[in-house]
Structures are given as C-alpha cells and as structure tokens.
Amino acid sequence: MATVAMEKLLSTVIQLKASDLHISVGQPPVVRHHGRMRKLEAKVLDSDDTASLMKSITPDRCQQELQQKGGADFAIEYVDGYRFRVAVFKQRGTIGMVLRRIPSQFLTFEQLRMPEAIRSLIVRPRGLLLVTGPTGSGKTTSLSSMINFINDNYDRHIITLEDPIEYYHKHKKCTVNQREIGVDVPDFKEGIRRALRMDPDVILVGEMRDLETIHAAIEAAETGHVVFGTLHTSGAASTVNRIIDVFPKDQQDQIRTQLSTALMGVLSQALLPKKPEGVIAAYEMMVVTPAIQNLIRENKVYRIDSSIQTGRKDGMFLLDESLFRMWKDDLCDKEEVLLKSSKPAELAAKISQAERGMLDDGDDDDEYEDDDDEDDDDEEDEKPRRGKK
C-alpha cells in the first residue's frame, strides 16, 4: 500500500514540476514549488504513515544507517528516468523524509548562464576547480553540466566520487566511471587514492569535508589531473581561508604554497527566486592568475576581492556584481538580491543610486559582467533548501 502511495506522491511532484517533497508527521505531504512550500490535498500523516513510506523506498543498508546514525542519504530511480535524491531522518522519535527531484536533462552552459571562464578552465590539463555555495544552491547541477560538456567534446577518463550519485552520465566521448560513497568505495579520501591508480584525467570529488580529502584532492590536482570539488563556502576568499584553516598551524604555509599552484579557479553560486517564477543562479568567478597565486602564497587573502574586481579581462567578477545586474535586468526583486549579497549595505546604496538615475550607463556596464549571472527556468529543480549539498 505504501509503495502505491509513494508512487502517487512522486508522480504529483513530477506533474507539478516541484523541486522537493517533504514527508513529516503531523501534516500532509508538502512540496516546494518555485521556491515556496505548498501542502498537498491529502491526509495528515501519522508516524505509521511516514515509517511505511520510508520503508517502501529505502534500501536495507540505509535503513540500518537510519537506525544507527539517525539519518541516511541515497538516490532512487522512479519511472521514465526520473530520479530523486532522498534524505531520511529521525525527528522527535518519528521518521521524516525529503526527496529532491534530480533533473533528467543536463542543462547547457547557456541555460545556466555559466561564466565564460569555466569553458577554458575545465579543459586545462591539470588543476583544482572548486564550486562553492550554500546547501541547495545548484552546485551539483553546475558540476554535472561541466562533466557533460567534457563528455560531449573531449576524450577523457572521468571518475566521479559522489554521495549519493545523482545525475547518471553515459559514456560518450569520455569513459565515465561513477563511484558511490558507501556502496562502491568507503569514503572520499579512499576514493581519490584509488582513482589515481585508474588512469584518470578528471576526478570529481562530491564533497571536500575533511583534512584528508582536501589534502588528497590538492595533491591529485598537483600531479597532473583535473579535480572538481565542492565546499559549502560562500565566495572565493572565504573558500581559500576555509581550506587553509582545516590544516594544523604548522602545515599552513606549505598548504598555501601547494594550493596557490594547484588551484585554477573558484566558482561560487547562490540561487534566487526569479520573476515571475522559477529560480536563477548568481555567480562569483575567481580565476587564479599569477597575482592571485601570490596573494594565496603570502597569506593576503583579504585582497582577493579587489583582485577579482580588477580582473574582468580574465573573466572574473564578484557575486554582488552578478546580483546587481540581475536586479537591473529585472530578473529578481531588490529584496531577494540583497538577501544573497555579501555586502548588502554597499549593494543597497548602489541600487538606490541606480534607482535615482545617478549611475551613468557606462558606470555599471564597465563594472559588471553582462552575461554570466542569469539562470534559466529549467533550473527550477535546484531550490534553496535544507539538507545535504
């Protein structure tokens, strides 16, 4: 019975083009639709309902993990190639679940309005590219489109380490091996160590959570591989700080030097509600130039933002520049861009100047990248939400 009920709920999510399904005791099932939470016309769930819904889709190993650790993550295949990433957890002694719909189509760089610099960075022979941002900001979607772009255009061996696997990649020009943490390999660190013996060109590290994984990723990038990784940081400068701070004080100088040569770029992103509906990504792009290498090596990370501001010819721009452009192009409300801003007071002042017509067109067109910040309605699947990545 629960299996039928779950199938009905998942088909409702697909019909509505909702991004998430929330199952919790004490209310009917809830979907997230265009960023807003909506209760479905259904019965209020009790603890037996949520437990049987969980059992109908959760693999045994994840049910064990739920009992031992209070939560588990996995991905499921529904009909017609629709897939969902599932987080099951305990709350107040009952079972809760959040299911995120994984888009069945890869989005192109044009649809995502990906910064131009990404195209040249991802085809370099080696280096570390980090995609950062809060939970639910679309990092997985961005990375999968990068992998898909390489797969369409270049012959490479790509190894992905994911927890769980979300997008399935077919072998096209590339050979793509996807390894799921906890199923195919015990953890990210071990996955990177093993990957280096598998003749890889590109290694995707789903999450760089701890010192060992971060160290292994930097070393893999130094030794002639392209490594993609994600971090839950916002902005390029805080990403560099976060990586260095993970290491003990006596290793930090050495890591600064290693990172300055291994890192090729940081793409930070935030997801905002788009007018009239859907969501849209704002980006910050840092490309590691010799000047930025020096700042990292010399521990002058606080000067990175001004280097990004003056690095437009290298394809760089700050998040707030991206947000300003989205407001100016009437893609997002002022309140929404200010919520995501890293310096809201400065951005608010700039917007109010523009509203009063005090900015020449030249002022902001020189200063802001034109094309790189918008997103497409297609990315409505990556809603801001709580949960993993």
Side-chain angles (χ1 to χ4, degrees), residues 7 29 43 47 65 86 88 108 118 148 166 176 189 223 227 230 243 257 277 298 318 323-324 332 348 369 373 384:
E7 284 185 3
K43 67 170 281 221
S47 58
E65 194 181 343
V86 186
V88 298
T108 64
I118 288 293
N148 192 51
E166 296 189 29
V176 188
K189 175 191 67 178
T223 55
V227 180
T230 71
I243 287 176
T257 304
E277 60 177 33
E298 293 164 13
L318 289 169
L323 291 167
F324 178 80
C332 297
E369 276 289 314
D373 352 348

Side-chain angles (χ1 to χ4, degrees), residues 114 131-134 137-143 146 233-235 267-271 281-284 319 375 379:
M114 190 69 79
V131 178
T132 78
S137 56
K139 298 188 291 294
T140 307
T141 297
S142 293
L143 282 164
M146 291 177 204
T233 45
S234 52
L267 173 70
S268 299
Q269 50 188 76
L271 219 55
Y283 297 106
E284 172 167 304
L319 181 68
D375 204 299
E379 206 193 349

